[in-house]
Amino acid sequence: MDTIPVAKREGVLVVLSGPSGVGKNTVLNVVAKMDSNIMLGISATTRQPRPGEVDGVNYHFKTRAEFEKMIENDEFFEFAEYNGNYYGSPKEEVLNWISAGNAAIIEIEVQGASKVKQKYPEAVFIFLAPPSMHTLISRLRGRNTETEEKIQARYKTACYEVTQAYNYDYIVINDDIREAASEIMQIVHAELMRVKRNKATIDFFVEEAKQDCKDI
Ligand code: ADP
Ligand code: 5GP
């Protein structure tokens, strides 16, 4: 029996946005456990680590000077200032993973996502939304990681951010964590199977058909 060579497919860059406190980290951790082939990009930030956050796992925690050096060296897909701190997604590791035909997800707030859309129009944009704004503020408070003043600032930003959801390709509601994670995985898998990312596989069948069918 002939074996079909696995033709190289094109990988996909997925950008996940959503207001602070909606559950992006929580859901992405479940995605990472469910599918180790999906790489999660680790952002750099100048904000202080929260209790339990680990450098190199949750974020690469940087001083402003270190971060500005990374900007100078063009190490980011994009970077943005959000509520007084820099955030940016380093590109090298993620692009290497994608160029091997895989999927990577980077978590970016909406300003950063629109910059990535200009530079990488072929990327896929998912907006993670809360079941309601009331639920969002409860989650922000329940996380217990910010002062009430900072929570109010993040909520105010969130009121703007949800208006940007129209610009995304997909919307996932984070009501149940596992369900949201599974919906994100379904999107990623479907995107990897799109014809435009699998032209080499189709070429293989077409070539074979041309050889086999020419005398029929
Ligand atoms: P983000 O990364 O979007 O800022 P987090 O992942 O830190 O948000 O989640 C914010 C809070 O909401 C955390 O305390 C988390 O445990 C909780 N949370 C996340 N998803 C859900 C969910 N589906 N149902 C209930 N609580 C959730
Ligand atoms: P937090 O401080 O709650 O971890 O993150 C604050 C906001 O920064 C969130 O909306 C999160 O999505 C966003 N963020 C995380 N990493 C990046 C990044 O690399 N670039 C940009 N622009 N935003 C990011």
Side-chain angles (χ1 to χ4, degrees), residues 43-48 59-72 76 78-89 109 111 115 154:
S43 296
T45 183
T46 56
R47 87 149 159 73
Q48 291 299 307
Y59 279 105
H60 299 291
F61 293 101
K62 303 284 174 194
T63 62
R64 282 187 89 80
E66 286 169 338
F67 198 101
E68 279 161 3
K69 188 89 203 146
M70 291 175 81
I71 298 173
E72 223 177 279
F76 295 118
E78 57 69 54
F79 65 93
E81 197 141 10
Y82 173 92
N83 285 323
N85 286 301
Y86 277 133
Y87 292 82
S89 28
E109 51 64 62
Q111 305 168 54
K115 288 191 223 160
R154 282 175 180 244

Side-chain angles (χ1 to χ4, degrees), residues 19-26 107 139 142-143 174-177:
S20 178
V22 70
K24 299 179 294 297
N25 282 312
T26 309
E107 183 207 319
R139 284 188 192 161
R143 189 167 65 186
N174 179 22
D175 192 355
D176 177 80
I177 297 168

